[in-house]
Amino acid sequence: MALMDPDASDDMIDHLVDFFDQIAPAYDGWAGGQHARVAARLVDLVKPKKGQRALDVGTGTGLVAHLVAAKVNPGLVIGIDLSDRMLSFARSKHGKNSQFLGMAAERLVFRPETFDLVTMGETLAYLADPGEALSEAHRVLKSGGRLAVSCQRRSLSTRAQDLFFQGLAPLARRHYLSLPRYSSERSRFGEPDVLPQLLESAGFDVNLLTEMVTGGRAQNAREWIEMMAGAGPLPYTLIKALGPRYRMELEAEVESAMDSLGDPDDAFRYHHSYLMAVATRR
Ligand SMILES: C[S@@+](CC[C@H](N)C(=O)[O-])C[C@H]1O[C@@H](n2cnc3c(N)ncnc32)[C@H](O)[C@@H]1O
């Protein structure tokens, strides 16, 4: 699998950072606090120890970083990200032993073998160059240091989600919107036959692999569309670009797509599933 994505252009990176800047205020509360639950599980699995030095890559609002900071205290956590707005929420949470810096995962400024632990919570599939970011994580980790990664497992999405996401590209075309996108290979990063291989080929031994499956059901098309807007840059940009009339049209289309699933139990149902790996630097 090619890790340097030919679609990782400056446009794509700007589009992605814009998306995270815009959703930053709603990030922690999205889907009933879903990201916080995923972060808590990842930190439970990696078991940070008192006094350790940790780096949280793509820290966002610092959900993982702050949990790690509480465990490693008096050790230190550094969180890095490209979205200023996400970082400003991370900083507002006031950790004594955490620092948040604007930096790309692919170009870390730290010396080799600086950290005991590197975390990447729901970040790998968004990075411009995931291979380079893993090799940077390897460089800054001490020998025997640990890497913890969570990645959405998209193959476990529901039929309702599949149907909705399949409809986005035609919807964009209908509204003459041309949006940058990563290649579809990214959507396989959270599969059990892909993530361990990515880590192994970056010089890590995978010690633990586990899954977290969450899900729920939206009440209606409006709630569904609002939630799906937070799911990624493409749905967000598209949905927010629609004026009230087209928005109502989309709601009607979503209602009828959900009806077409046949079983009312399938309608408006979503799964958010994650693969989590803890690995040791060779
Ligand atoms: C889905 S959020 C994850 C936030 C947090 N780790 C969590 O577990 O909730 C992904 C984050 O990766 C950041 N990001 C994307 N590309 C990046 C890059 N090349 N370098 C650093 N951060 C990046 C985004 O700005 C965003 O805040």
Side-chain angles (χ1 to χ4, degrees):
M1 175 175 287
L3 279 192
M4 179 57 198
D5 196 318
D7 301 328
S9 60
D10 287 352
D11 276 358
M12 180 63 215
I13 296 164
D14 288 350
H15 178 51
L16 198 81
V17 172
D18 264 4
F19 164 68
F20 283 109
D21 277 346
Q22 292 187 50
I23 62 158
Y27 185 83
D28 290 2
W30 186 72
Q34 144 98 15
H35 297 304
R37 289 193 293 275
V38 179
R41 177 96 172 103
L42 188 69
V43 175
D44 270 0
L45 290 174
V46 73
K47 298 187 177 37
K49 298 200 176 48
K50 256 187 195 324
Q52 284 187 328
R53 196 181 287 190
L55 174 69
D56 186 34
V57 173
T59 192
T61 61
L63 289 172
V64 172
H66 284 293
L67 291 172
V68 173
K71 306 257 183 202
V72 300
N73 197 22
L76 174 73
V77 178
I78 298 182
I80 63 125
D81 204 286
L82 289 178
S83 158
D84 285 342
R85 194 117 184 262
M86 292 291 262
L87 285 169
S88 75
F89 280 93
R91 288 184 190 115
S92 73
K93 292 176 188 166
H94 301 301
K96 286 196 306 283
N97 59 332
S98 51
Q99 282 175 20
F100 295 95
L101 307 171
M103 195 183 300
E106 297 83 356
R107 278 190 301 278
L108 301 177
V109 301
F110 309 106
R111 296 204 176 124
E113 307 203 18
T114 301
F115 297 97
D116 303 288
L117 178 63
V118 173
T119 46
M120 290 189 187
E122 299 187 55
T123 291
L124 195 62
Y126 291 107
L127 301 174
D129 189 338
E132 190 54 33
L134 287 174
S135 117
E136 278 291 82
H138 188 274
R139 182 182 66 78
V140 301
L141 268 173
K142 297 175 185 169
S143 171
R146 292 188 318 141
L147 170 70
V149 179
S150 64
C151 217
Q152 197 170 351
R153 188 171 177 197
R154 296 193 187 269
S155 65
L156 298 189
S157 296
T158 59
R159 292 170 64 213
Q161 280 166 297
D162 289 346
L163 203 62
F164 180 77
F165 285 103
Q166 278 156 19
L168 290 180
L171 182 68
R173 279 197 296 277
R174 244 166 51 213
H175 290 279
Y176 304 100
L177 280 168
S178 161
L179 301 171
R181 292 179 81 174
Y182 281 139
S183 74
S184 56
E185 285 189 338
R186 299 293 181 109
S187 64
R188 299 212 66 248
F189 276 16
E191 299 305 317
D193 61 337
V194 176
L195 184 62
Q197 265 191 24
L198 294 180
L199 303 186
E200 295 278 345
S201 53
F204 295 93
D205 290 325
V206 176
N207 313 118
L208 190 153
L209 199 63
T210 189
E211 276 187 61
M212 176 176 177
V213 181
T214 66
R217 208 164 161 200
Q219 296 296 315
N220 51 41
R222 179 164 302 181
E223 195 183 305
W224 173 269
I225 292 170
E226 222 18 79
M227 191 184 62
M228 292 305 156
L234 175 68
Y236 182 86
T237 315
L238 200 48
I239 290 165
K240 297 294 167 186
L242 298 178
R245 188 163 69 83
Y246 287 124
R247 184 74 174 248
M248 274 168 65
E249 228 176 81
L250 178 63
E251 283 175 21
E253 279 172 26
V254 168
E255 291 282 359
S256 86
M258 295 295 160
D259 283 347
S260 78
L261 290 171
D263 184 349
D265 204 46
D266 282 347
F268 301 114
R269 189 170 287 288
Y270 57 86
H271 284 164
H272 292 133
S273 309
Y274 296 84
L275 189 67
M276 302 196 177
V278 179
T280 306
R281 179 203 194 275
R282 279 202 286 273

